[in-house]
Amino acid sequence: MSSDVIDLILSDHRRFEDLFRGLRDRSSDRSGLLGELSDVLVAHANAEEKEVYPALRRFRKVDDEEVEHGAEEHAEGHQALLALLEVDDTESQDWEDQLEELVETINHHVDEEERTILNEAREAVSEERRAELGEAFSAARVGELDDHPGRLDRVRELVSRTHNRVD
Ligand SMILES: [Fe+2]
Ligand SMILES: [Fe+2]
């Protein structure tokens, strides 16, 4: 498995898509899949913000504003995730509506991240440095996952912390 940070990020993005597909299916274990998605989404976003985004900001060819915008979109994703986690009945219309909202929010971010930040990183960052960043990203992500960052109370805390920062 490559340790290039771009490959690692792309492989998580594919995993989000697989989990979304499972979540759309009414016959699947929606609560189980949502728990898995929630942990991976939060761990991925936090590891990007901790290890990848700050490093990329230091490369002049990577647009600072895109990186900042990426972090804002993570906050929007966490908010949409919280709204879905807060609906108890996975068979309700409300649950379907919040899933649709989450999928749209995350797909929008993933699309933009791949088109801007990752393309710029491909051009501006050497393979060697991308491998180092990949190792830092993996370690941060695994540390996050061990802690189950996607639990309802943790996501609530994360969303309220972001609100306080913005206010
Ligand atoms: Fe990402
Ligand atoms: Fe991201």
Side-chain angles (χ1 to χ4, degrees):
M1 174 82 197
S2 158
S3 72
D4 184 325
V5 69
I6 295 174
D7 294 336
L8 297 176
I9 287 175
L10 289 175
S11 118
D12 267 348
H13 291 176
R14 296 296 84 77
R15 185 149 170 222
F16 302 158
E17 285 168 9
D18 287 343
L19 286 163
F20 287 151
R21 193 161 300 116
L23 285 162
R24 287 187 201 107
D25 178 351
R26 265 195 294 269
S27 70
S28 61
D29 168 19
R30 284 179 152 177
S31 303
L33 290 176
L34 180 57
E36 196 182 327
L37 174 72
S38 189
D39 277 340
V40 181
L41 264 183
V42 177
H44 176 90
N46 287 350
E48 280 180 348
E49 284 183 41
K50 190 167 168 235
E51 297 293 346
V52 186
Y53 285 7
L56 293 182
R57 272 171 176 277
R58 290 196 287 272
F59 287 91
R60 267 186 300 140
K61 282 189 201 132
V62 179
D63 187 341
D64 271 15
E65 274 175 36
E66 292 295 356
V67 176
E68 200 162 309
H69 182 60
E72 282 162 19
E73 288 188 346
H74 287 168
E76 287 167 17
H78 294 150
Q79 209 158 352
L81 174 64
L82 177 61
L84 178 60
L85 288 169
E86 280 179 333
V87 182
D88 290 324
D89 183 0
T90 61
E91 286 173 26
S92 64
Q93 187 56 45
D94 195 15
W95 196 91
E96 299 281 351
D97 293 343
Q98 300 301 344
L99 174 66
E100 187 182 347
E101 182 76 35
L102 176 66
V103 171
E104 274 175 20
T105 308
I106 300 301
N107 282 349
H108 168 84
H109 170 64
V110 161
D111 168 68
E112 207 163 284
E113 188 170 81
E114 291 182 13
R115 278 188 299 104
T116 61
I117 299 173
L118 297 191
N119 270 326
E120 288 172 11
R122 257 184 209 110
E123 284 163 16
V125 186
S126 72
E127 264 177 53
E128 195 187 349
R129 185 72 187 109
R130 290 200 320 248
E132 282 168 18
L133 279 177
E135 273 165 37
F137 171 77
S138 282
R141 183 182 171 283
V142 166
E144 286 272 338
L145 278 177
D146 284 346
D147 230 27
H148 288 291
R151 282 189 346 231
L152 178 58
D153 56 324
R154 309 289 301 278
V155 178
R156 249 186 215 138
E157 196 192 304
L158 188 62
V159 169
S160 80
R161 236 191 298 144
T162 320
H163 278 178
N164 291 339
R165 213 168 55 202
V166 171
D167 292 341

